[in-house]
Structure formats: C-alpha cells, structure tokens
Amino acid sequence: MSDKWTTARIPDQHGRVAVVTGANTGLGFETARALAERGASVVLAVRNVEKGEKAAARISGEVTVQALDLTSLDSVRAAAQALRSRYDRLDLLINNAGVMYTPKQTTADGFEMQFGTNHLGHFALTGLLLDLMLPVPGSRVVTVSSTGHRIRAAIHFDDLQWERSYSRAGAYGQSKLANLMFTYELQRRLASHGTTVAVAAHPGLSSTELVRNSPAAIRLPLTWLAPLVTQTPAMGALPTLRAAADPAVLGGQYYGPGGRLEIKGHPQLATSSAQSYETAVQQRLWAVSENLTGVMFPVAQSQQNPIPSRPAITS
C-alpha cells in the first residue's frame, strides 16, 4: 500500500454519526462527502440552511442539515439541543467552519469576529455535545487550525476582542492558535476517559472561499498563483479526514500536508508552534473561554499528562 494517505484508506463508517461545521462548501463539504460515501450518517452544520440543502443534494449517502451560526451562542445552543433530540450518540465532531481576515466586526455576543467564530463558537458547541461522545469508543473531536497560527499569533489576554487596535492577520492568528490550544487542553482533560480523543489538522494552502476577505495585496496574487501554490479543497480536506478516521491517530496529534512548508501534499503528522504547547496558556484560555461562553465541559479538570510536541510518525 502507498504511504500516501488518501480517502481510499478511510475505514468503513457505517453506524457512525458525524457532525461537520461549515460543510456546505470547501473543506467542510469535501470532508462531509468523503465520510458519507464511506457510510457515516453526516450532519452538515451550516449557517445558511438553503446552501446546506443544496450541498447535501450533491452528496451520496445519509446526509442531513442543521442550522448553526457560530457567531451566535444562542444559535450554538439551539443547534446542540436539536442534535441532542435527534441522536443519542456522536462519533465525530469536526470543527471545520471558520472566517479569515475579516474587517473589524463583532459577533452577536460582542466577540471579535474571528476569535468568536473560529474558537469560541466551536468551544461552546463541543462542550454542549461532548457528553454524547464520551460513552462512544473511538469518538473524536477534530478541530481545524491553520499555518496562520504561526503568523503574528499570540493569545492577547489583555485585549482578546481587539478593542484597542485591530489587525486582520493578528486576530486570525490568535483564533487559529486558540484552536490548537483548545485541542491540546481538551485532550489532556479527556485522557482519563479513554474513549474520546481530541485531534487537530490544517489544510495547508487550499483554494477555498476563505481568502475572500483578504486584503487585495494578498488576495490578487493568490488568485493569479493559485494553480501553482494551492491545492484543491479535496486535497486540503485530507488532513482533517485522516485525523477523523485513521485508526492509528492518537489524541493530541496534529495533521497537515506533507509537502514543502506544509503547503500542499498528502497528510502527515505536523508540529505546531512552540507557544501552542504552553500548558499554562492553554489552561488560562480554557478558563476564559468557559467564562465568555458560559459552557462548562463534562470532563475532569486538566491533568498533567503531556501533549506530544513532536510527531511520532512520518507517513
């Protein structure tokens, strides 16, 4: 068998339930499609239900649509309640949806848009659904980060909502760094349960709608160079799919494209930035996120179990 991981290596998913956020387009759509084609019952959790229904019609398999607006905690709670009324178990929660380089704006709850959507919305959704996963052996929470977690990135506890000044790239970097810190801290808390694990992934540089909010100086060159420097959404979804379905995956791992600079290629284990592994910052971010969202997780307090800082395998 080739050492290049592809969707052909996704095990049979019949009997499994997967929720994929932002699944009406791009990476989320490709992730949902691959899981459904392998037999999973897939929920497209999307902001625009009409677009979600059109996406579902393009996927073969058992697919349903759930309204979810990550910019509103009320919507997150309503979506979680609706899912809980339909399912008594959940095997996969894939926190894929996101925004990138948005102009300065806030969510319905007053959070900076990128931090509120990419991190806090998914933090709340995970906490509200996690008890459906804990009894299920092999269940996974997969959160999609980005190489942007290295660019002008830090957790600005003194100004999390960027009220004093605003940087599109800095705010995006903070949100994607938060995705990783959330994954590592969640895995630490899940370790004693022995069933559910938390894993992260990033798509490299993929041709998706995310770049639509980028400044023209970035967006236009990317448009011109896209065939050379980006990969398709189907390829970009592979790290997420491997994190979700490869039986060899361990909690706390991080997957991305295996090519040069992790821009393109088949998925392999990746290493995130040094600051993403800072346990004290992870735990502080967790406490702040609980306070901001009002969501408490049904898992133990953080343990001292280490999160690997280096990949254990290379294929």
Side-chain angles (χ1 to χ4, degrees), residues 126-209:
T126 304
L128 293 167
L129 293 177
L130 191 60
D131 64 339
L132 294 181
M133 306 184 75
L134 292 176
V136 182
S139 55
R140 298 180 188 179
V141 177
V142 179
T143 300
V144 179
S145 183
S146 164
T147 54
H149 85 274
R150 299 177 181 274
I151 302 172
R152 301 186 60 185
I155 306 299
H156 299 275
F157 290 110
D158 61 338
D159 190 18
L160 277 176
Q161 313 307 336
W162 296 81
E163 295 170 322
R164 292 201 294 267
S165 63
Y166 183 68
S167 161
R168 294 188 189 198
Y172 181 69
Q174 174 178 261
S175 72
K176 294 287 102 178
L177 177 60
N179 287 154
L180 282 164
M181 290 189 157
F182 164 60
T183 297
Y184 297 152
E185 178 61 14
L186 177 58
Q187 175 56 33
R188 191 174 288 110
R189 291 166 180 254
L190 288 169
S192 63
H193 291 267
T195 50
T196 310
V197 298
V199 192
H202 80 85
L205 194 54
S206 299
S207 180
T208 71
E209 296 179 359

Side-chain angles (χ1 to χ4, degrees), residues 10 67-68 87 135 191 309:
I10 297 176
L68 169 68
Y87 301 102
S309 60

